[in-house]
Every structure is written in structure tokens, then in C-alpha cells.
Amino acid sequence: MNRRGIPGGPSSRPSRILGAVLTAATLMASLGGCGLLGGSSNEDKPSGGGENMKIRLGLVKVVDVAPVYIAQQAGFFKAEGLDLELIPLTTSAVGIDKMAAGDMDMVHGNYVSMFTAHAKKVVDLKWVSDCYAAKPNVWMTMTSPTSSVKSMSDLPGKKVAVTTTSNLADMTVWSVLSANNIDAKQIKYVQMPFGEMAAALKNGNVDAAVMAEPFITQAAKSMGAVRVFDAASGPTESIPMAGYSTNAKFAKENPKALAAFQRGLAKGVEIANADRGRVETAVQGYAGIDAQTASIMNIGAYPSSLEAARLQRVPDLMKDFGILSERIDVSTMVLPQAPVPAK
């Protein structure tokens, strides 16, 4: 068989035509890569390879999420080829319902609420990235200066505001009070968003409130709220507080988009941990607080990695508290973590 197109052979002309076509195709591709034909190189812009590269992320406007806003404003997600839409939430519970309904792809939320939703099969949850862990004074039980609540021993029988029940708030309060031999079961919890707690304290609608930053500092400035005790202390010291989750279906269908989110967030976390000023600026923008409040608020930890062993502490405590009837193995819920390219 004449495979080389010997002159005068039967395949000579087809070979010449094929060669011309290949040469033209190579030239066109080269020109397209250089942008001369209005195209762009794959090296210049990451591609999802046909996968959906848009994520709708719901998040509560607390200090936890500053690294996401830092990364968004710096263009880190866009550089990864990801179109990230940030959707404000009043509580994690709202986000869980929206994700279950298909109206959101990812949700930032406190770990207790998210694990509870998973256990109740509201959503088949997968953890994408860690978000926030407690440090002293970032998860406080607050009261008004005229309240009869002066210490944690005064809480039984009182009304305490929390965003939702069977949540991080009542679980950590129970844990700290139990460690101090105080009966936390006598507390009456009242559900409301963080943004309504200061007014509820001032008006006497509740006796105390479990609050996060920047709402702790805002309440202290606006109505003189005082601290009763740190709900992330003793048995709950340094407890993981919040993370970024998705559902199993979205995770299976969009691994590249989620990896792009992880890489972009990692850069935001790096900045947040190195430069408090960037955190303050970000929180002023999305939470609408003033510069003075931002400068004196307490900030927790922004973990640079998601570790199942560390996170396991939360559902184990939930089982002790009675929120969960069966143990959850966190390792089955953690998605692969995208490596961050070296600088």
C-alpha cells in the first residue's frame, strides 16, 4: 500500500490536500491563540471543559466570610474561571432551604445547623471548605446593662436570643453551663436574626443573646450591651464554627467549579490571616459597619485547610447534646481539596 504519497502514486494528491488543510488549521489555531482572531489562549483563562463554572453562594454577613469578599474583590475567583455570585442570608437555615430547593449551589453556615440538615436528610451535604473557628470573645452571650442576668448562673428560666434552636448557639451554651454544673435545660430560647438582637435586648424582649461579630461590638456601641460569658470557652474552646457546603449532586456534576472556589478562597484566607486591615475593610463593605466598630471587633481564626479530624468534634458534641441520634462520620462528607499553585 502506498502510504507516503509517492509522486505519481494513487495517494499523492490527497496527501497534498490533507497537508494543506493541516497547515491551514495549525496557522488558524496559532493566530487564534495569539488573539489575532479575537480568541484567547486556554492558558490565559481557565476552562471548566464544558462544565458549569458559575456558583451561587449564600452567606450570612458576619466576620466569618471576610476572606470570600476579599478574594472576590481581588478577582481571585474570576482568575480561576469561576463566576461567583454572593447572595446575602439572614440565617444559615434560610440558605439550607434554598440549597435544598435548588436556588443556591453553596451555603456558608454554622456547622451545627448544616450537620442537622444533613442528618434529617433535608440535603445530602458535602463540605467544600472550612470557614471560621472560635477564638476568645468572638462568640459571646450578651445582655443589656439593666438586665437581671449578671452571670451564666442567672440564665436558667431566662429568655435567650439565638438565630435558630438546635444550633451552634444553644449547643455551646449548654456545653459551657453543663461544665459549670448549671442546668441549661431551663433556658427559654427565642429565635431571631443577629441584626435584631440588640434591639430585643434594649427593649427587654429577651434577657440575653448569643452573638457573633460584628454584632457583638455593634450592640456594645449602640445600646451598651455587656458580656456575660464566652460561649466558645472551656469545652467549646477553639470550636469550628462555620464552613462552606454544597449538595452531593452539585459536587458530582461540578468538581472543577468547586476546585476553582477552593483555590480562590485559599488566596483570600491567606490575605485575611496576614492583614487585619483587609478584613476590616471587607466587613465594613458587606456588613455596613463603621470603621471604628471594625477596628475594635474581635476576629476568630480563618483555617487554611479543611480537616475532617478537627471538624469531627462538632457532630460528636451534637450527639452528646442530643441534636443527633447517630454519629456522623465527617470524613465521608469532605470533598477533595484542590492544591494551591506555588507562588
Side-chain angles (χ1 to χ4, degrees), residues 34-87:
C34 294
L36 296 179
L37 297 179
S40 61
S41 168
N42 287 338
E43 294 180 359
D44 294 334
K45 184 176 182 180
S47 171
E51 178 184 310
N52 171 36
M53 291 297 285
K54 178 179 175 65
I55 290 178
R56 300 165 298 172
L57 170 61
L59 64 184
V60 182
K61 293 181 178 181
V62 285
V63 71
D64 311 18
V65 298
V68 166
Y69 281 91
I70 290 172
Q72 181 84 317
Q73 292 163 3
F76 295 149
F77 298 115
K78 185 177 181 180
E80 295 290 343
L82 179 64
D83 178 9
L84 181 65
E85 179 184 1
L86 303 181
I87 304 172

Side-chain angles (χ1 to χ4, degrees), residues 84-169:
L84 181 65
E85 179 184 1
L86 303 181
I87 304 172
L89 299 172
T90 53
T91 66
S92 302
V94 173
I96 292 168
D97 291 340
K98 286 184 176 294
M99 185 163 66
D103 296 329
M104 286 183 182
D105 308 310
M106 286 181 59
V107 171
H108 149 263
N110 79 77
Y111 282 120
V112 176
S113 292
M114 308 306 284
F115 279 124
T116 300
H118 179 77
K120 292 182 177 180
K121 302 188 184 304
V122 174
V123 60
D124 187 1
L125 204 70
K126 297 296 179 184
W127 291 112
V128 181
S129 299
D130 204 345
C131 174
Y132 199 61
K135 281 186 176 181
N137 302 315
V138 303
W139 188 235
M140 298 297 299
T141 302
M142 306 289 289
T143 191
S144 72
T146 58
S147 172
S148 60
V149 174
K150 304 300 181 184
S151 69
M152 66 175 72
S153 61
D154 296 324
L155 285 178
K158 299 297 194 299
K159 292 183 291 184
V160 177
V162 295
T163 53
T164 54
T165 53
S166 295
N167 189 323
L168 181 66

Side-chain angles (χ1 to χ4, degrees), residues 258-304:
L258 293 174
F261 173 82
Q262 291 170 337
R263 290 190 296 269
L265 176 63
K267 295 173 185 177
V269 167
E270 184 178 11
I271 291 173
N273 284 328
D275 187 349
R276 178 189 167 102
R278 293 285 290 273
V279 174
E280 292 178 12
T281 300
V283 178
Q284 286 178 63
Y286 67 76
I289 64 172
D290 59 76
Q292 183 187 20
T293 300
S295 69
I296 60 177
M297 68 180 178
N298 292 287
I299 299 175
Y302 298 116
S304 58

Side-chain angles (χ1 to χ4, degrees), residues 168-186:
L168 181 66
D170 52 354
M171 185 186 77
T172 51
V173 167
W174 164 82
S175 183
V176 173
L177 264 61
S178 296
N180 287 275
N181 299 314
I182 300 170
D183 186 5
K185 293 181 180 179
Q186 302 303 315

Side-chain angles (χ1 to χ4, degrees), residues 181-269:
N181 299 314
I182 300 170
D183 186 5
K185 293 181 180 179
Q186 302 303 315
I187 295 174
K188 302 170 185 177
Y189 291 104
V190 181
Q191 300 182 82
M192 65 183 68
F194 284 126
E196 297 178 9
M197 291 182 182
L201 286 172
K202 183 178 181 179
N203 296 331
N205 297 331
V206 295
D207 302 296
V210 184
M211 306 176 76
E213 290 286 19
F215 300 98
I216 295 169
T217 303
Q218 280 184 312
K221 285 187 61 180
S222 67
M223 48 78 61
V226 294
R227 304 178 183 204
V228 182
F229 70 95
D230 192 333
S233 61
T236 56
E237 182 180 358
S238 303
I239 191 168
M241 295 182 67
Y244 298 101
S245 64
T246 188
N247 62 71
K249 183 176 183 293
F250 188 86
K252 182 178 180 180
E253 295 176 353
N254 302 278
K256 293 179 181 177
L258 293 174
F261 173 82
Q262 291 170 337
R263 290 190 296 269
L265 176 63
K267 295 173 185 177
V269 167

